[in-house]
Amino acid sequence: LQPLPEPAATGNEILFIGTMGYSPNRDAARYFCREIFPLILEKIPGCVLNLVGAGGKEHLADLEVPGIVNVTGRVKTPLPWYQRSRLAVVPLRSGGGSRLKILEAMALGKPVIGARTGGIPEQIDHERTGLLFTMGDSRMLTRQMAELKDNPEACVELGRAARAKLEKEYSLEMHCNELLRIYNEVLH
């Protein structure tokens, strides 16, 4: 994946992507829609949240408010959704897994906002490659997001830094070299 061109300076879309049939993703989407997104709308009128992923229509249709909260099902490619979004959110409160959605957003040059839970802080450097928030501290998150909206250059810089971190710490070449080192160690 390569970094995408930046959305228009007036872009106001946020993306949460994932398999919505997975209960931690559903919980995160519901939490974000009920507890955080209303505060964001107060500070950033006209903001749009896109919940994209398999199972969305089956499990989250009740959250849809056309033009404000859009819920999809499985999409052929997530790239158009990333392209039109200023940033990605990962408000997971539980669950495990690889958190590939974070690495995908970083690869595409999008800053990521995530909860300080379940491995997310290891992938995001707060205020360097994205934002981290503590559950219950949604007002601070909302203020930070409003600042990013008012300063699109800062948002672009976060996205570039996210991409740079991905290239440095998660590159295929780096991991292949480490795997080859382990193989050589085991075989010799």
Side-chain angles (χ1 to χ4, degrees):
L1 296 172
Q2 296 301 312
L4 294 168
E6 287 304 313
T10 57
N12 60 357
E13 295 190 34
I14 300 170
L15 175 65
F16 178 37
I17 192 163
T19 302
M20 299 305 173
Y22 180 55
S23 63
N25 284 341
R26 283 196 312 271
D27 172 72
R30 290 188 181 289
Y31 172 78
F32 194 81
C33 283
R34 292 182 177 143
E35 303 296 325
I36 298 173
F37 196 58
L39 299 173
I40 292 171
L41 286 173
E42 286 177 19
K43 287 255 187 207
I44 310 171
C47 193
V48 175
L49 173 63
N50 298 309
L51 302 174
V52 175
K57 288 291 188 186
E58 294 84 358
H59 298 285
L60 301 174
D62 61 304
L63 297 177
E64 188 161 33
V65 179
I68 300 171
V69 177
N70 300 311
V71 179
T72 76
R74 180 180 306 275
V75 295
K76 187 173 184 173
T77 175
L79 294 179
W81 294 96
Y82 277 111
Q83 172 58 45
R84 53 198 266 191
S85 299
R86 181 155 307 284
L87 47 86
V89 294
V90 185
L92 292 170
R93 302 190 297 172
S94 65
S98 60
R99 306 286 193 249
L100 291 177
K101 62 176 81 39
I102 296 171
L103 298 178
E104 181 177 69
M106 292 170 75
L108 295 168
K110 297 295 177 180
V112 180
I113 295 179
R116 292 185 187 271
T117 58
I120 292 175
E122 296 162 10
Q123 294 173 319
I124 302 170
D125 295 324
H126 183 61
E127 292 188 352
R128 288 189 292 271
T129 62
L131 299 174
L132 294 167
F133 69 97
T134 303
M135 296 303 170
D137 198 6
S138 51
R139 294 209 181 273
M140 176 191 281
L141 171 67
T142 303
R143 181 182 49 73
Q144 290 173 317
M145 287 181 69
E147 288 171 9
L148 284 179
K149 172 69 171 109
D150 292 340
N151 186 355
E153 295 82 22
C155 199
V156 169
E157 285 305 312
L158 279 176
R160 286 184 185 143
R163 172 65 190 211
K165 178 176 178 157
L166 177 103
E167 289 175 354
K168 180 180 176 195
E169 297 180 22
Y170 297 97
S171 74
L172 184 60
E173 180 181 357
M174 182 189 83
H175 288 286
C176 286
N177 288 338
E178 179 64 12
L179 191 57
L180 288 173
R181 184 193 65 75
I182 292 168
Y183 288 159
N184 282 328
E185 190 176 291
V186 170
L187 294 173
H188 294 89

